[in-house]
Amino acid sequence: MIVEQIWTGNAYRNFNYLVACGETGEALAIDPLDFRKCLELAEQRGWTITQVLNTHEHGDHTGGNKAIIEATGATLIAHRDAGGRIPHVDRGVGAGDIIKVGKTVELECLDTPGHTMCHICLLSHTDQPALFSGDTLFNAGAGNCHNGGHPEELYETFRHQLDRLGEDTLLYPGHDYLVNNLAFTLDREPDNEVAREMLETYRDQDPDAALVTSLAQEHDINTFFRLQSPSVMARLAEEFPEIGDNPDPKTVFLKLRELRNTW
Ligand SMILES: [Zn+2]
Ligand SMILES: [Zn+2]
């Protein structure tokens, strides 16, 4: 499996992806908003884009569909319930469905509601797994729930799906929010030295060659994975005394999500 992360350079800071089979040169384009960059890169590499996947229905993920499909004839894949919101879906997928790319790549669909209720993450079946997480999980952060999502569903997705992924899983999110999210982590957990060092190192990183974290690193720096951290809980209780000294993980998650909305 060959992965190309494509920085769009837009105000929303989107990442697009090409995932290719090294044997056949067939490629899957994930959320190819910047269709020109995706098409150019595929051409440079000698790849053929045969499939497009939208992780969810938001315009900054679907906006390149028409142009890329006109140029390549690729089939369009999305959550099976997204059909009303994404035009011209050829294949609707749900939990456990497999997307094959060429001969060598298999990607498993995870049904991950929360950011929206029709959100798919892809988990590669490779020696070193990779997660294409759309707007569900970001470097050091979690998706918002303003536009068609629900925080409680997002918590359930973290608890029952993301928490179970292997530590060596590489994270390929839909946006570059690393620096802002690390600042939020440090606001919530000022003694998090791993996050502090990462922020210093990557504050001015080139998004064209962005840091790719593993889930092991995310467990250290992502507040939404650190629900039982004593300092996260103590800081939160300062703001929300009603949660008490020993809040359950769901309460912590929901309060963090609420704070991040206005932070
Ligand atoms: Zn979104
Ligand atoms: Zn987005």
Side-chain angles (χ1 to χ4, degrees):
M1 181 175 79
I2 308 169
V3 177
E4 288 283 0
Q5 183 177 57
I6 297 160
W7 164 241
T8 62
N10 65 351
Y12 293 120
R13 308 189 67 80
N14 288 80
F15 281 133
N16 302 169
Y17 295 93
L18 294 180
V19 179
C21 168
E23 271 187 40
T24 69
E26 287 163 87
L28 167 74
I30 301 176
D31 295 338
L33 175 68
D34 194 331
F35 58 90
R36 287 188 189 87
K37 279 192 183 172
C38 292
L39 289 168
E40 270 173 30
L41 186 61
E43 194 179 328
Q44 278 173 25
R45 297 280 185 275
W47 296 343
T48 308
I49 297 172
T50 54
Q51 301 175 87
V52 171
L53 174 112
N54 291 149
T55 55
H56 64 292
E57 68 270 29
H58 289 157
D60 59 314
H61 298 256
T62 62
N65 288 359
K66 188 167 181 288
I68 217 154
I69 289 168
E70 274 175 11
T72 62
T75 55
L76 178 61
I77 307 170
H79 191 289
R80 61 161 64 102
D81 297 331
R85 301 179 181 90
I86 302 176
H88 311 302
V89 173
D90 298 299
R91 180 183 173 196
V93 290
D97 287 344
I98 299 290
I99 296 172
K100 290 188 177 177
V101 185
K103 284 186 189 164
T104 58
V105 180
E106 287 196 354
L107 301 161
E108 179 186 344
C109 299
L110 309 183
D111 187 347
T112 52
H115 173 67
T116 75
M117 298 309 283
C118 301
H119 193 296
I120 293 287
C121 292
L122 295 178
L123 179 66
S124 70
H125 288 181
T126 37
D127 289 342
Q128 175 163 50
L131 182 74
F132 299 90
S133 62
D135 288 1
T136 296
L137 176 64
F138 297 122
N139 301 118
N144 69 48
C145 306
H146 305 318
N147 297 298
H150 295 290
E152 299 210 355
E153 299 279 352
L154 189 63
Y155 170 71
E156 296 298 327
T157 289
F158 267 67
R159 181 171 170 208
H160 295 295
Q161 300 193 68
L162 303 184
D163 280 352
R164 294 180 182 184
L165 299 175
E167 295 270 305
D168 60 340
T169 307
L170 297 178
L171 178 61
Y172 291 106
H175 294 264
D176 170 33
Y177 295 152
L178 175 70
V179 169
N180 265 354
N181 284 342
L182 284 173
F184 181 70
T185 295
L186 288 168
D187 180 64
R188 293 291 91 214
E189 197 180 9
D191 57 350
N192 188 326
E193 291 307 322
V194 182
R196 190 173 302 283
E197 269 177 38
M198 192 181 279
L199 182 57
E200 273 165 29
T201 309
Y202 293 97
R203 189 186 294 281
D204 300 314
Q205 76 164 340
D206 173 6
D208 271 316
L211 170 69
V212 176
T213 59
S214 66
L215 284 196
Q217 285 174 297
E218 290 298 322
H219 293 155
D220 285 339
I221 59 160
N222 191 324
T223 320
F224 293 90
F225 283 129
R226 299 180 59 73
L227 307 176
Q228 316 257 251
S229 150
S231 54
V232 169
M233 290 195 289
R235 282 274 287 162
L236 211 54
E238 290 170 15
E239 219 123 349
F240 303 101
E242 71 274 15
I243 69 174
D245 290 343
N246 195 18
D248 63 82
K250 182 174 181 178
T251 301
V252 174
F253 186 97
L254 294 177
K255 290 297 185 193
L256 288 171
R257 189 53 267 170
E258 187 184 326
L259 279 178
R260 184 67 177 83
N261 289 342
T262 51
W263 183 79

